[in-house]
Amino acid sequence: MDHVSFYPLLIVLALAFVVPLLLGRQRGFAVPAVVGEILGGIIVGRSGLNLIPEDTYLTIFSELGFVFLMFLAGLELDFRLLLQGGGEGESRGRLRTPLGMGTAMFLLTMLLAVPVSWLLISWGMSNSLWIMIL
């Protein structure tokens, strides 16, 4: 039977407990807890100190966490607000609605991402053009 280590999970749970406590004590600048958690994860993860090795349990929890985050984001959508325009005196063109503006920004971002994606592929940092564009 393979040895199972809960060390990486313990580090992540400790980080999730300590970071909001530390951010709550800050008086000078207010950083949202989510931003602090992401920065803490970057610091202890592969991009920083590399304290957390690859682990099956963390992979499962990270995917469940992402699914839960997307579920909560979906609960926050109000489709009536997406189709409404600006104020009363403004024209109600397609780009004046949040849905139209979001679509235009998405297309512009994809257009600007094409040269950057080609550059990353030519440097050998990626091998999937469409994933990099998205």
Side-chain angles (χ1 to χ4, degrees):
M1 186 170 178
D2 291 332
H3 176 69
V4 177
S5 174
F6 290 103
Y7 173 70
L9 188 58
L10 179 66
I11 292 175
V12 170
L13 290 175
L15 190 67
F17 180 75
V18 169
V19 167
L21 293 176
L22 293 175
L23 290 177
R25 299 187 62 94
Q26 294 295 324
R27 300 282 181 233
F29 57 55
V31 176
V34 174
V35 173
E37 298 282 351
I38 291 172
L39 290 175
I42 291 171
I43 291 170
V44 300
R46 280 184 268 167
S47 300
L49 300 174
N50 200 16
L51 295 176
I52 301 177
E54 190 74 25
D55 187 49
T56 305
Y57 293 109
L58 278 181
T59 303
I60 292 170
F61 281 124
S62 70
E63 290 175 8
L64 284 174
F66 182 71
V67 167
F68 187 65
L69 177 68
M70 293 297 105
F71 174 72
L72 290 177
L75 288 177
E76 295 295 322
L77 286 178
D78 187 1
F79 289 105
R80 290 174 292 157
L81 292 176
L82 282 176
L83 299 175
Q84 287 179 356
E88 300 235 348
E90 296 183 22
S91 66
R92 292 191 176 254
R94 288 185 185 195
L95 284 180
R96 298 284 181 183
T97 64
L99 184 61
M101 185 70 76
T103 303
M105 290 296 114
F106 176 73
L107 293 174
L108 179 65
T109 303
M110 282 189 64
L111 182 68
L112 293 174
V114 170
V116 174
S117 300
W118 277 109
L119 188 64
L120 290 175
I121 288 175
S122 69
W123 287 346
M125 298 177 77
S126 177
N127 56 4
S128 177
L129 178 71
W130 290 107
I131 296 297
M132 291 308 296
I133 290 173
L134 287 175

